[in-house]
Amino acid sequence: MKEYRNFIDGKWVSSRTGKTFENRNPANWEEVVGIFPASDSRDVDDAVSSAKAAFPSWRLVPPPKRADILLKTRDILIRRKEEISQLMTREMGKVLVETRGDTQEGIDTALYSAGEGRRLFGQTTTSELRDKFAMSIRLSVGVCGLITPWNFPMAIPTWKVFPALICGNTVVIKPASDTPLTATLLVEVLSEAGVPEGVVNIVHGGGGSVGTAIVEHKDVSLISFTGSSDVGRDIGGRCGRSLKKVSLELGGKNGQIVMDDADLYSAVEGALWGAFGTTGQRCTATSRLIVHEKVLKEFTAMFIERTRKLKVGDGLLPDVQVGPLVNKGQRDTVDKYVKIGISEGAKLLTGGKVCEEGDLKKGFFYEPTVFGDVHRKMRIAQEEIFGPVIGIIPAKDFDDAVSILNDSDYGLSSSIYTNDITRAQRAIRDLEAGITYINGPTIGAEVHLPFGGVKATGNGHREASVTVLDIFSEWKSVYIDFSGKLQRAQIDT
């Protein structure tokens, strides 16, 4: 058992509170993975002061030099990939093949963000006046508060930290209390790679004591938050009152459509991965299967057969396909929604119980669960469950399927399985989501494409890709008049 600390101004320091909390393995609650500081607003003040002091010099470091640090970070992540992935499974629970993918996403993001160090393109354009030059450039924002979730404890912090750094900002990170270790390892790697003192800081603790203090701190210029829509609304309101820049990546209630002309074997494989990968704990997880009534019976039988064969257990074991929920509260939430589904009249086709046999009783395991006879207005078809629960909703035809999928407060990811190019093109146009997959599940985003959604899924920003630079930089328009006289735009033209 190891005791970890905050990282402030290039040093590992204890919290001013003197208090700590335990980080335990959700697959075996008897195992303590580490002990972390339970910080408060005083620690946030220290971290923000450090980041503010480091900003003036860091923003003047040429972007290609910042990129060199990210390339070194990538090299270290590659070297430590297996170590980090195994520790991530112990603290978060998802199976090892997935935590390896999580770490790889951080490696890929480092490479992609470093490439932007030699771009960070602005625009040059024409002027409406003679002897006048016009262009736009990107500038740094300042101190960025980064609040990250527990389900992708390496990938999502890198989605925020790396572009923030390449744009010349300094950062204060608050990782989720369920997964503080992975973010700590990321900061260790950044420090080893040569990030200057004060540029990257991490403060551990709860959302109320640390997260709120970061959001409301007067010297924090930008907040980037990934988490629930309810918390996102609160953060958005707080940032609105202080006019901070804010990026919110929130919930999802993602649907996979299966048309009557689909390859059902592929559709089943996609639905299994989309619904039960990461134990359903993804904002992009498939939680609604919208199936054409002509293939409903056949598809359902195939899907149930495969679901029942999924192996639940400790994610470090090689044959396990579904790990635990991240904590007891999340497992209780899943069980609550299963009971809601039954009470609403949905048919429980498989699963629906806490796993308590053998070693599974030491962790927060839940059976992969499938409901049939689900109606689009049921709570289990409308509310985000964030667990291994999926409902099958019949659709009469393509238009009905699109209508069902769009009948949601959320709009993150969507999917359709069809061999009809017309249906595929119409789905791309008509599905109300930030992401659409054709003949693929609702999960599987790549770092060089924009990530985000519409409606209650966020506030319009996109992470990953080049689009993330619009969050972490400020646009400045520049006009150079070399006419030697006063020229008045819109007047002298």
Side-chain angles (χ1 to χ4, degrees):
M1 189 190 311
K2 183 176 178 180
E3 186 165 340
Y4 296 87
R5 299 178 179 181
N6 295 327
F7 189 73
I8 298 174
D9 199 24
K11 304 174 185 64
W12 295 101
V13 296
S14 300
S15 169
R16 288 179 177 268
T17 67
K19 299 177 181 178
T20 59
F21 66 92
E22 293 178 337
N23 179 25
R24 289 180 176 264
N25 184 345
N28 178 8
W29 197 242
E30 296 175 356
E31 180 189 356
V32 178
V33 178
I35 296 174
F36 289 82
S39 309
D40 66 11
S41 60
R42 293 171 293 174
D43 301 292
V44 171
D45 283 338
D46 292 341
V48 173
S49 295
S50 170
K52 183 181 179 182
F55 175 66
S57 59
W58 176 246
R59 75 178 183 89
L60 296 179
V61 173
K65 297 300 183 184
R66 301 177 204 146
D68 288 343
I69 294 175
L70 293 188
L71 291 175
K72 291 177 184 176
T73 299
R74 174 180 179 265
D75 292 342
I76 300 168
L77 286 173
I78 291 171
R79 187 180 76 235
R80 297 183 64 180
K81 178 178 177 179
E82 187 64 19
E83 170 208 352
I84 291 171
S85 302
Q86 295 214 16
L87 288 169
M88 196 191 311
T89 293
R90 287 175 58 205
E91 78 162 348
M92 186 268 167
K94 62 185 174 183
V95 298
L96 185 56
V97 68
E98 290 194 51
T99 53
R100 287 173 180 148
D102 198 320
T103 307
Q104 185 62 47
E105 195 161 342
I107 293 166
D108 295 342
T109 301
L111 180 60
Y112 186 87
S113 298
E116 292 306 318
R118 295 216 175 246
R119 289 188 289 265
L120 286 180
F121 296 135
Q123 297 172 321
T124 59
T125 186
T126 58
S127 171
E128 65 188 53
L129 298 168
R130 290 178 180 272
D131 299 328
K132 188 176 181 181
F133 177 77
M135 66 179 179
S136 61
I137 60 174
R138 294 182 184 273
L139 296 178
S140 308
V141 176
V143 178
C144 300
L146 313 179
I147 303 174
T148 62
W150 46 262
N151 58 337
F152 282 86
M154 175 60 73
I156 292 178
T158 62
W159 278 18
K160 300 179 189 297
V161 173
F162 294 168
L165 295 182
I166 207 67
C167 287
N169 304 300
T170 56
V171 302
V172 177
I173 311 164
K174 193 212 89 66
S177 298
D178 283 307
T179 54
L181 177 55
T182 305
T184 297
L185 297 176
L186 173 60
V187 172
E188 283 183 5
V189 170
L190 283 162
S191 178
E192 182 181 345
V195 170
E197 293 179 358
V199 170
V200 173
N201 306 271
I202 186 169
V203 180
H204 296 286
S209 57
V210 174
T212 300
I214 293 173
V215 169
E216 296 193 336
H217 201 289
K218 63 181 180 61
D219 291 327
V220 173
S221 300
L222 178 154
I223 296 293
S224 179
F225 169 80
T226 299
S228 73
S229 294
D230 286 343
V231 175
R233 288 187 183 95
D234 178 68
I235 289 175
R238 293 174 188 269
C239 290
R241 287 189 289 274
S242 59
L243 299 179
K244 291 185 197 297
K245 290 188 71 172
V246 59
S247 169
L248 304 173
E249 201 285 290
L250 308 175
K253 190 66 180 176
N254 314 289
Q256 174 182 311
I257 296 171
V258 181
M259 286 284 96
D260 54 332
D261 65 326
D263 179 337
L264 294 189
Y265 292 97
S266 295
V268 166
E269 290 297 315
L272 285 167
W273 176 229
F276 305 123
T278 321
T279 320
Q281 299 173 116
R282 294 187 182 215
C283 55
T284 55
T286 311
S287 56
R288 296 180 294 158
L289 275 172
I290 303 162
V291 183
H292 196 293
E293 58 187 16
K294 290 183 180 179
V295 295
L296 178 64
K297 184 176 180 180
E298 182 181 3
F299 175 87
T300 300
M302 294 169 63
F303 185 63
I304 294 303
E305 180 185 9
R306 290 296 313 280
T307 299
R308 287 173 175 164
K309 293 179 179 178
L310 293 173
K311 174 74 171 177
V312 178
D314 188 329
L316 290 175
L317 300 177
D319 60 339
V320 166
Q321 297 160 292
V322 182
L325 279 305
V326 72
N327 56 41
K328 183 179 184 298
Q330 193 62 33
R331 189 181 66 181
D332 290 346
T333 295
V334 170
D335 196 50
K336 178 190 76 173
Y337 272 105
V338 169
K339 290 179 172 61
I340 288 171
I342 294 170
S343 70
E344 289 181 313
K347 184 177 181 181
L348 183 62
L349 300 178
T350 190
K353 293 184 294 184
V354 172
C355 299
E356 296 182 304
E357 63 277 9
D359 287 340
L360 297 187
K361 64 185 176 183
K362 295 181 180 180
F364 304 121
F365 298 95
Y366 204 90
E367 294 179 340
T369 300
V370 182
F371 279 102
D373 296 339
V374 175
H375 185 273
R376 64 163 77 186
K377 292 298 185 181
M378 288 180 177
R379 288 183 64 186
I380 60 169
Q382 289 290 327
E383 299 176 15
E384 188 174 36
I385 300 172
F386 228 65
V389 180
I390 192 167
I392 301 176
I393 307 173
K396 297 176 183 178
D397 53 29
F398 173 82
D399 290 333
D400 188 37
V402 170
S403 174
I404 293 168
L405 189 143
N406 289 343
D407 188 6
S408 171
D409 290 338
Y410 300 99
L412 179 51
S413 189
S414 59
S415 161
I416 182 169
Y417 279 78
T418 180
N419 287 313
D420 186 326
I421 187 63
T422 300
R423 286 173 168 172
Q425 290 288 353
R426 288 180 61 196
I428 292 169
R429 182 192 67 190
D430 295 339
L431 294 179
E432 296 171 357
I435 304 167
T436 294
Y437 294 89
I438 308 300
N439 293 328
T442 62
I443 65 178
E446 300 181 36
V447 304
H448 55 289
L449 276 76
F451 183 91
V454 300
K455 300 190 278 192
T457 289
N459 65 337
H461 288 291
R462 294 292 184 268
E463 295 195 300
S465 178
V466 68
T467 54
V468 74
L469 302 178
D470 287 332
I471 300 170
F472 290 111
S473 62
E474 294 279 14
W475 281 107
K476 173 178 274 193
S477 297
V478 179
Y479 302 93
I480 303 172
D481 193 315
F482 53 96
S483 68
K485 62 182 180 180
L486 174 64
Q487 299 190 93
R488 300 170 297 177
Q490 296 91 42
I491 296 174
D492 293 343
T493 54

